[in-house]
Amino acid sequence: MDRLQKVIAQAGIASRRNAEKLIEDGKVKVNGTTVTELGTKVSPSDEIEVNGVPIEKEAPVYFLFYKPSAVISSVKDEKGRKVVTDYFPEIEQRLFPIGRLDYDTSGLLLLTNDGEFANLLMHPKYKVEKHYIVKTKGIPSKQDINQLALGVRLEDGKTAPAKVRLKSLEKKKQTAIVEITIHEGKNRQVRRMFDAIGFPVQKLKRERYGLLDLKGLNPGEFRPLTPHEIKQLRTLAVT
Ligand code: URA
């Protein structure tokens, strides 16, 4: 038995808080009867309707995907470009990505059908570390690297302190490889941070997300998360 608001959130219909509001507002029926009590427990055999529409309860699934570049972090694209869910043809559940990587960014992306889990990880207060490898046009100095680490001013605010390291450089080509770990999730954050110090990103890859990495996967491949990894991510989210 699970709490009604949890089941609604898990179906990806609303965040837990909005699910509570739907219940309190009388928008939710269980086996044909309107339920406004938040604590109500439901079992998998109960029929739940939100705004008159039955919700589909799928078994939750969680995948770690190595997104290639030139793929949209979405479930469909109006322009017909490749989307991340194209790589999961044999998975019946309705998957969606947790957050996004830009079209040109490769690397680690989680996909799930568990809306509540996704909301939890994407919540701004959730401090999961994301580790990126960046190839820059031009070679940033120590001061530039320091500036990134301390925080740079973007149009939507200053970035939080980050871990940044110059890994290697190619003098002739005037490019550098920089590692950066951030825990925020502003839109196109890494690219904008490097733009802000005058060293545009040529290539970007997310290598780690929390404790997860891409070990054993090639671009375009995925694996299920282990129950332990799912638990770890949940624990991180609430601490
Ligand atoms: N930062 C970016 O600029 N792009 C991404 O895809 C991820 C982080």
Side-chain angles (χ1 to χ4, degrees):
M1 299 282 274
D2 268 320
R3 287 159 78 86
L4 184 54
Q5 55 265 44
K6 182 177 174 191
V7 176
I8 294 170
Q10 224 157 37
I13 290 168
S15 66
R16 181 88 70 109
R17 191 171 303 159
N18 285 338
E20 289 175 357
K21 189 150 188 315
L22 286 168
I23 296 168
E24 286 175 332
D25 289 349
K27 304 280 171 62
V28 178
K29 282 184 184 170
V30 178
N31 301 323
T33 306
T34 302
V35 169
T36 52
E37 187 130 345
L38 287 183
T40 304
K41 294 270 180 84
V42 288
S43 74
S45 62
D46 286 322
E47 284 302 320
I48 301 161
E49 279 175 42
V50 177
N51 287 322
V53 181
I55 67 166
E56 284 180 39
K57 289 162 285 175
E58 291 177 330
V61 289
Y62 309 87
F63 294 103
L64 189 167
F65 176 51
Y66 187 161
K67 176 192 165 309
S69 61
V71 177
I72 307 265
S73 295
S74 177
V75 296
K76 60 171 187 284
D77 180 53
E78 284 143 23
K79 295 184 195 155
R81 290 171 296 183
K82 230 182 166 89
V83 296
V84 288
T85 45
D86 289 344
Y87 289 84
F88 296 77
E90 69 275 36
I91 304 298
E92 284 169 11
Q93 285 90 345
R94 285 171 305 172
L95 293 179
F96 51 85
I98 301 181
R100 59 190 296 277
L101 290 176
D102 299 332
Y103 181 69
D104 287 328
T105 303
S106 65
L108 198 161
L109 185 67
L110 299 179
L111 288 98
T112 184
N113 61 344
D114 182 343
E116 193 195 17
F117 184 75
N119 283 334
L120 191 66
L121 294 194
M122 289 191 291
H123 196 283
K125 78 171 183 231
Y126 179 47
K127 295 277 196 316
V128 63
E129 288 200 333
K130 294 147 207 149
H131 182 81
Y132 296 89
I133 304 287
V134 185
K135 185 177 182 186
T136 58
K137 184 167 185 296
I139 300 171
S141 67
K142 254 198 185 130
Q143 285 93 317
D144 295 321
I145 296 288
N146 253 341
Q147 190 59 54
L148 284 179
L150 291 172
V152 290
R153 228 165 268 290
L154 303 179
E155 60 192 14
D156 47 353
K158 192 177 168 190
T159 59
K163 291 179 211 155
V164 193
R165 189 172 83 92
L166 180 69
K167 203 174 167 216
S168 63
L169 54 89
E170 285 223 43
K171 257 212 166 115
K172 266 203 195 127
K173 290 188 183 157
Q174 280 296 298
T175 59
I177 303 294
V178 181
E179 294 182 324
I180 179 165
T181 307
I182 60 173
H183 57 72
E184 298 165 293
K186 294 179 194 286
N187 192 26
R188 296 177 69 81
Q189 178 163 342
V190 175
R191 290 176 197 274
R192 291 193 293 136
M193 286 175 79
F194 280 83
D195 280 343
I197 59 157
F199 296 91
V201 169
Q202 278 193 345
K203 229 173 169 182
L204 181 58
K205 177 180 175 191
R206 180 151 79 190
E207 284 219 322
R208 288 205 299 274
Y209 184 93
L211 300 164
L212 304 171
D213 61 33
L214 290 165
K215 239 176 255 156
L217 294 179
N218 291 311
E221 292 180 345
F222 64 85
R223 68 167 176 84
L225 291 181
T226 65
H228 183 64
E229 288 168 335
I230 297 162
K231 211 164 164 187
Q232 269 180 335
L233 286 167
R234 273 193 212 284
T235 309
L236 265 177
V238 292
T239 49

